[in-house]
Amino acid sequence: MLFHRLSRLGSRIVKELPRERHFSVSGMRVLQRSYSQYLQSSAVTQRQSRTFQQAFFSSNYNLCTSFSTISETEKINVIFVDKDGEEIHIKVPVGMNILEAAHENDIELEGACECSLACSTCHVIVMDTEYYNKLEEPTDEENDMLDLAFGLTETSRLGCQVIAKPELDGIRLAIPSATRNFAVDGFVPKPH
Amino acid sequence: MSKFLARRLVTRCFSSRPLHVCIVGSGPAGFYTADKLLKAHEGARIDIIDRLPTPYGLVRSGVAPDHPETKIAINQFSRVAQHERCAFYGNVKLGSDLSLSELRDLYHVKHGLFRLYLHMVLKVTKILAFQSLGGVFSAREFVWWYNGHPDYSSLKPDLKSSDTAVILGQGNVALDVARIFLRPTTELASTDIATHALSALEESSIRKVYLVGRRGPVQAALTAKELREILGIKNLHIRIKETDLSVTPADEEEMKSSRARKRIYELLSKAAAAAKGTSEGDCGQRELHFVFFRQPERFLESDESKGHVSGVNLEKTILESVGSGKQIAVGTGEFEDINCSMVLKAIGYKSVPVNGLPFDHKKGIVPNVRGRVVSGDISQTEPGLYVCGWLKRGPVGIIATNLYCAEETVGSISQDIEEEGVGKGEKEGSKGLMQLLEKKEVKMVGSSGWEKIDAKEKQMGIDRNKPREKLVTWEDLLAAASADS
């Protein structure tokens, strides 16, 4: 319900934008505060000194990126290798997770639990150990899910937990061929 | 590259011809299969039928109420159900409303995905399987009770006779049930647990839960996430015998080949070490006991209340290697009892056969080759008939296992369309189904009916600060489905 009210507020703000100079100062501050509550982002409060119009458009854009830069979002090269061995080259903005990047590029990587660390369907294999070592250590929660991944390897990670950063430029990620593993490992009982 | 394109063109030519598919069962296996079929074949028109008026199978009725993130998969399923080439038909039962042969007449491809449960079948002794005492339930019944399944809302388990419940089994279902017993009810109150269960749990006197497994900590079927979760419950005392944690060379081998087992063993060891310091039994404190190397021999009947369980007689076991790294439990002839007023059997499921489908009673599956149903010897494939999910593989695996299972079955279907002529010929599909259901006066609940149930449950949930308040009787569900919007 709060969301609904805030989104209506948001659309009202957009309509009022050309007339913003008629807002009272306190009125604008109230709108900014509501909007920043919605975003829950410190980036918005940093922009309180700017005009509201600028704040509205740029905070959205900066959500996925680091708060300190306003320049063009840096992108890295990521190469997916699908089950048939075909390579798909994509560009991923720094700060985006690999599962989201795959979906934006129509790559078939499942994400059943939508990034809540409750499944292992976004399992990817980092093809080069060098790149694997550049990743942050998986948390216990991620490891718990990886335990259940099909075709688990030494360099497996959950795609939703791999966040693009400049050092990962050129990383190659294989999407495991689960069907092949499935038929072969079919006898292994998996827990419920 | 061109070979790839050519392949795509060929499949397109075949795919745009209408392919009428009926999927029986609307759980994960059903929806993942529908999803992949829709993507693989532009001409696929899919009808998903389910005995219940509500879709999603075990995701709705099996996943524990305090695991909402596991239910997120429903978002993908509902997108599939809303696809223009897909339709959901609830409250339609194969067997009583429709026969398999009627479906085969209407559809090119018929897909059986249901995993019909029997009572838990204890593989240990026949006596246990047939002893029917009050207070002894299959975990499935108990789970369906607290999840508001319309067939089990009036189960009325007695949670006030004593402070102890014994759960046979140490898989994730056993952990789910233990957690529901032991979690503070204030935490359960804001989940989608059925209200009748929440009320019963608020008055429950159960404080001690025993999880009994016939093998050791290295062989326990639970997984790390669930174990970590239950070990982390506030004010819950964990009891594990240190002697149970000693590891044999065979155990070491098992842990070497499975990092999951190794991590679980480490978690249990840490929990046992942490528990060593704490005091025994403050009255009323909640306790979770992991009991290893015990297999159930028989249930004990109460003297005060006849016909009701008062305990479980357990036989101590040791492990024996049977080759290929597997160890089984063997009885030692030594016995001991645990007193309790409730026993839940959480040691596995078994499917029941369906009229018209061949069935392997030993494995509890429909005999198949990569999803194609076969009868008699393996060379006799039943044309147009496929299985996916537990009916294909046996009742094991997680939700995601069905993703890969569906991929394999849909692969077989696609191959059969190209090579075996499945999909040729005129079939009526949905139109025929609707006519048949009308003729038989079956009150089908379609997607719009389900949406009404869904909206009503969510609305009722808002009033109680829950994500939804489930409708738990057939009458209420069907009434909500046919209410005027």
Side-chain angles (χ1 to χ4, degrees), chain B residues 242-308:
Chain B
E242 269 218 274
T243 46
D244 284 344
L245 288 167
S246 53
V247 150
T248 64
D251 289 334
E252 298 273 7
E253 273 305 307
E254 273 192 67
M255 286 199 281
K256 256 209 306 212
S257 59
S258 162
R259 78 170 222 175
R261 294 209 179 287
K262 182 156 173 287
R263 294 177 76 241
I264 289 167
Y265 176 78
E266 280 164 3
L267 269 172
L268 286 169
S269 304
K270 265 198 270 189
K276 237 177 22 172
T278 63
S279 58
E280 269 299 323
D282 279 332
C283 229
Q285 85 182 8
R286 290 172 190 237
E287 295 174 2
L288 178 66
H289 298 246
F290 282 88
V291 176
F292 296 105
F293 305 107
R294 298 287 183 277
Q295 62 191 10
E297 173 66 19
R298 63 191 177 88
F299 300 134
L300 307 169
E301 190 176 341
S302 165
D303 291 324
E304 295 93 41
S305 48
K306 285 288 176 203
H308 199 93

Side-chain angles (χ1 to χ4, degrees), chain A residues 83 86 110 112-114 116-118 121 140-141 143-148 150 152 178-179 182-183 190-192, chain B residues 32 36 69 72-73 75-76 172 221 223-225 228 259-260 263 349 393 395-398 400 403-404 407:
Chain A
K83 302 166 232 230
E86 279 187 47
E110 299 277 354
C113 77
E114 298 177 8
S116 30
L117 276 178
T121 57
D140 278 339
E141 287 70 31
N143 271 325
D144 287 349
M145 290 300 111
L146 279 171
D147 279 353
L148 308 175
F150 293 88
L152 186 69
T179 332
F182 182 75
K190 293 272 192 257
H192 298 175
Chain B
Y32 284 136
K36 290 177 191 297
E69 69 286 352
I72 290 177
N75 295 347
Q76 191 182 351
N172 286 340
T223 53
K225 175 178 182 246
R228 209 183 289 280
R259 78 170 222 175
R263 294 177 76 241
Y349 300 107
R393 300 177 281 108
V396 284
I398 53 178
L403 256 175
Y404 310 110
E407 224 174 87

Side-chain angles (χ1 to χ4, degrees), chain B residues 427-485:
Chain B
K427 290 279 184 184
E428 286 194 63
S430 315
K431 214 176 64 184
L433 179 68
M434 293 290 294
Q435 284 172 354
L436 192 60
L437 292 176
E438 241 184 78
K439 205 171 81 183
K440 298 189 180 200
E441 294 181 8
V442 175
K443 273 182 69 175
M444 178 273 292
V445 171
S447 279
S448 56
W450 156 242
E451 276 156 28
K452 288 182 189 158
I453 295 173
D454 193 24
K456 176 142 196 213
E457 290 185 344
K458 284 181 174 151
Q459 180 59 48
M460 284 163 53
I462 290 174
D463 300 333
R464 292 165 209 234
N465 193 30
K466 298 165 84 171
R468 67 172 66 238
E469 178 61 52
K470 287 184 183 166
L471 294 169
V472 300
T473 63
W474 282 92
E475 296 76 32
D476 286 345
L477 285 164
L478 293 175
S482 53
D484 294 321
S485 14

Side-chain angles (χ1 to χ4, degrees), chain B residues 149-453:
Chain B
H149 191 294
D151 288 344
Y152 286 89
S153 327
S154 44
L155 189 71
K156 293 197 185 47
D158 179 2
L159 306 178
K160 298 197 265 202
S161 293
S162 82
D163 65 353
T164 305
V166 167
I167 302 175
L168 300 174
Q170 293 174 333
N172 286 340
V173 175
L175 282 187
D176 276 354
V177 170
R179 220 171 49 244
I180 297 298
F181 274 130
L182 296 170
R183 225 190 232 292
T185 47
T186 44
E187 289 176 24
L188 292 175
S190 55
T191 67
D192 63 6
I193 192 169
T195 293
H196 55 247
L198 183 63
S199 311
L201 289 163
E202 282 166 347
E203 296 177 17
S204 157
S205 56
I206 309 261
R207 295 290 174 272
K208 295 192 206 158
V209 173
Y210 288 78
L211 285 168
V212 178
R214 59 186 172 175
R215 296 189 295 170
V218 175
Q219 291 78 30
L222 43 75
T223 53
K225 175 178 182 246
E226 283 73 15
L227 180 58
R228 209 183 289 280
E229 183 186 11
I230 208 168
L231 295 177
I233 291 184
K234 268 193 333 232
N235 300 327
L236 178 64
H237 296 256
I238 310 292
R239 302 269 175 253
I240 302 177
K241 281 217 303 264
E242 269 218 274
T243 46
D244 284 344
L245 288 167
S246 53
V247 150
T248 64
D251 289 334
E252 298 273 7
E253 273 305 307
E254 273 192 67
M255 286 199 281
K256 256 209 306 212
S257 59
S258 162
R259 78 170 222 175
R261 294 209 179 287
K262 182 156 173 287
R263 294 177 76 241
I264 289 167
Y265 176 78
E266 280 164 3
L267 269 172
L268 286 169
S269 304
K270 265 198 270 189
K276 237 177 22 172
T278 63
S279 58
E280 269 299 323
D282 279 332
C283 229
Q285 85 182 8
R286 290 172 190 237
E287 295 174 2
L288 178 66
H289 298 246
F290 282 88
V291 176
F292 296 105
F293 305 107
R294 298 287 183 277
Q295 62 191 10
E297 173 66 19
R298 63 191 177 88
F299 300 134
L300 307 169
E301 190 176 341
S302 165
D303 291 324
E304 295 93 41
S305 48
K306 285 288 176 203
H308 199 93
V309 73
S310 67
V312 188
N313 179 246
L314 302 167
E315 184 180 16
K316 296 187 187 175
T317 66
I318 49 167
L319 296 187
E320 253 181 35
S321 285
V322 290
S324 59
K326 201 170 175 266
Q327 299 184 80
I328 60 164
V330 172
T332 57
E334 271 181 72
F335 296 85
E336 66 185 28
D337 295 342
I338 300 182
N339 294 328
C340 63
S341 59
M342 182 165 232
V343 179
L344 291 172
K345 298 177 278 182
I347 52 170
Y349 300 107
K350 194 169 169 152
S351 304
V352 281
V354 169
N355 214 346
L357 274 184
F359 195 75
D360 179 331
H361 288 267
K362 208 161 143 235
K363 296 189 196 158
I365 59 167
V366 167
N368 69 91
V369 174
R370 299 183 74 87
R372 297 176 178 94
V373 174
V374 294
S375 52
D377 70 85
I378 287 227
S379 56
Q380 262 210 288
T381 322
E382 296 275 348
L385 218 51
Y386 302 86
V387 275
C388 182
W390 284 6
L391 203 59
K392 170 183 170 194
R393 300 177 281 108
V396 284
I398 53 178
I399 294 174
T401 316
N402 293 295
L403 256 175
Y404 310 110
C405 190
E407 224 174 87
E408 183 183 64
T409 300
V410 171
S412 298
I413 295 174
S414 301
Q415 205 182 1
D416 290 353
I417 290 173
E418 275 186 43
E419 297 172 14
E420 305 291 332
V422 167
K424 288 216 174 99
E426 291 292 315
K427 290 279 184 184
E428 286 194 63
S430 315
K431 214 176 64 184
L433 179 68
M434 293 290 294
Q435 284 172 354
L436 192 60
L437 292 176
E438 241 184 78
K439 205 171 81 183
K440 298 189 180 200
E441 294 181 8
V442 175
K443 273 182 69 175
M444 178 273 292
V445 171
S447 279
S448 56
W450 156 242
E451 276 156 28
K452 288 182 189 158
I453 295 173

Side-chain angles (χ1 to χ4, degrees), chain A:
Chain A
M1 267 149 290
L2 181 63
F3 178 88
H4 183 58
R5 260 194 254 124
L6 284 171
S7 65
R8 278 190 301 168
L9 181 68
S11 56
R12 228 187 65 207
I13 292 169
V14 175
K15 285 199 208 113
E16 307 282 5
L17 274 171
R19 301 204 308 264
E20 66 166 22
R21 60 185 97 95
H22 297 297
F23 272 99
S24 70
V25 170
S26 53
M28 255 169 72
R29 291 243 173 82
V30 165
L31 288 170
Q32 279 179 305
R33 257 208 312 277
S34 309
Y35 192 65
S36 65
Q37 263 175 310
Y38 161 50
L39 280 182
Q40 288 177 346
S41 156
S42 60
V44 179
T45 50
Q46 277 172 25
R47 296 186 199 338
Q48 271 180 353
S49 49
R50 298 217 215 143
T51 65
F52 191 79
Q53 186 176 26
Q54 265 182 292
F56 184 88
F57 286 113
S58 57
S59 10
N60 228 5
Y61 164 89
N62 274 330
L63 263 180
C64 309
T65 67
S66 76
F67 297 136
S68 54
T69 85
I70 315 164
S71 54
E72 252 263 310
T73 325
E74 210 181 327
K75 292 195 180 181
I76 62 164
N77 292 297
V78 173
I79 299 123
F80 274 99
V81 181
D82 76 8
K83 302 166 232 230
D84 302 312
E86 279 187 47
E87 285 190 6
I88 306 137
H89 294 244
I90 63 170
K91 291 220 189 289
V92 182
V94 167
M96 185 180 277
N97 74 62
I98 285 303
L99 176 61
E100 202 185 330
H103 286 176
E104 295 219 334
N105 288 275
D106 285 324
I107 292 170
E108 268 194 58
L109 188 61
E110 299 277 354
C113 77
E114 298 177 8
C115 303
S116 30
L117 276 178
C119 78
S120 56
T121 57
C122 67
H123 170 213
V124 290
I125 301 168
V126 183
M127 296 179 76
D128 310 294
T129 328
E130 205 189 301
Y131 279 106
Y132 178 77
N133 293 330
K134 291 186 185 164
L135 295 171
E136 310 257 329
E137 284 280 314
T139 57
D140 278 339
E141 287 70 31
E142 184 183 345
N143 271 325
D144 287 349
M145 290 300 111
L146 279 171
D147 279 353
L148 308 175
F150 293 88
L152 186 69
T153 67
E154 297 278 325
T155 56
S156 285
R157 291 299 300 264
L158 293 184
C160 67
Q161 302 301 301
V162 176
I163 315 292
K165 55 184 182 183
E167 304 96 295
L168 298 178
D169 186 34
I171 189 171
R172 282 154 48 88
L173 301 168
I175 300 173
S177 170
T179 332
R180 187 158 43 90
N181 283 316
F182 182 75
V184 168
D185 295 338
F187 70 93
V188 176
K190 293 272 192 257
H192 298 175

